[in-house]
Amino acid sequence: MRYRHLIILALTLLCLVGCENGKKNTSVSNDKDSSIVNDTLTADTAEYVGGGNKSLNDIRFANFSEKDWLDNEYIRCLRRYLDDYNSGKIENDVLDQNKEKIKGNFVIAWAEPYLMGGLFIRFIFVDYPDDMFLAWVYSFVDEEAETVLDYEVRSIYLDEEKSGFTKDEIFETMKEHPELKLW
């Protein structure tokens, strides 16, 4: 059991590092036009802005440090959304099926740029540690200023895959890795 959470944590950290280094640049040259096309794995609808060959995700995550993947405005938006749902301010038919499970604190298991723009977040509620939830939090970008304007939860649902964690294992992992925190 103890090794399982270390393996998951190691994979998560590798993926986070991969988010920084995992960009794929592809150049295609056409002799007639001498045009060059660049592409990245994190391209938001494959559109580039301002002629600088930056995707919207390039703008969104340009200044993210390693710790930012576990503590950022996307996660804060998700927390506010869940709080608003739990207080009855918003409705969500998908969450209605898991209403009891989403009342407490959660911890981030994984966060990465989402191909459709914004951040894809895998998270676990401490009181239901075997259940893993997935969320897509989108952000609107001012392309000219290259800044993020606002955030919006686009989808959230319970994953079929189980985490395999216990509550004690989550707290033990948090002691070993202070960058993890409860939301």
Side-chain angles (χ1 to χ4, degrees):
M1 289 297 249
R2 178 171 171 80
Y3 293 109
R4 179 178 36 186
H5 79 273
L6 291 175
I7 290 170
I8 290 174
L9 180 64
L11 290 173
T12 301
L13 293 175
L14 283 173
C15 290
L16 290 175
V17 171
C19 288
E20 291 294 317
N21 299 325
K23 294 181 180 176
K24 172 185 138 189
N25 286 327
T26 305
S27 296
V28 177
S29 179
N30 182 342
D31 290 335
K32 290 183 181 178
D33 312 61
S34 294
S35 66
I36 296 175
V37 177
N38 289 315
D39 190 22
T40 68
L41 290 175
T42 58
D44 186 34
T45 63
E47 289 184 34
Y48 292 93
V49 297
N53 293 329
K54 287 185 178 179
S55 74
L56 296 180
N57 272 353
D58 288 339
I59 294 169
R60 288 176 177 110
F61 305 112
N63 298 318
F64 263 45
S65 67
E66 194 172 315
K67 73 174 189 139
D68 290 326
W69 295 104
L70 298 171
D71 186 351
N72 58 61
E73 286 304 315
Y74 295 90
I75 300 168
R76 286 178 190 76
C77 176
L78 175 61
R79 179 73 265 174
R80 285 188 301 271
Y81 183 89
L82 291 168
D83 290 344
D84 287 349
Y85 171 80
N86 284 323
S87 68
K89 291 180 185 175
I90 58 173
E91 294 180 4
N92 183 312
D93 294 337
V94 174
L95 291 181
D96 287 345
Q97 301 166 18
N98 298 290
K99 191 171 187 116
E100 290 305 311
K101 294 181 180 182
I102 61 170
K103 291 188 178 185
N105 291 322
F106 62 84
V107 64
I108 302 301
W110 179 312
E112 66 180 340
Y114 191 56
L115 185 61
M116 304 264 304
L119 196 67
F120 182 76
I121 304 169
R122 187 178 296 260
F123 60 105
I124 302 167
F125 285 93
V126 176
D127 292 331
Y128 294 90
D130 202 30
D131 291 323
M132 206 157 358
F133 285 82
L134 307 173
W136 170 27
V137 181
Y138 186 80
S139 61
F140 299 91
V141 175
D142 178 334
E143 297 173 25
E144 289 182 24
E146 295 189 2
T147 57
V148 175
L149 301 173
D150 201 9
Y151 303 85
E152 172 182 276
V153 173
R154 292 266 173 107
S155 70
I156 182 171
Y157 57 93
L158 177 64
D159 193 1
E160 291 178 9
E161 181 180 337
K162 298 297 182 183
S163 77
F165 283 113
T166 66
K167 193 173 189 175
D168 290 338
E169 288 173 324
I170 288 174
F171 287 124
E172 183 64 31
T173 301
M174 290 179 70
K175 283 181 193 174
E176 296 170 8
H177 298 277
E179 65 274 15
L180 297 173
K181 66 183 224 176
L182 292 178
W183 290 91

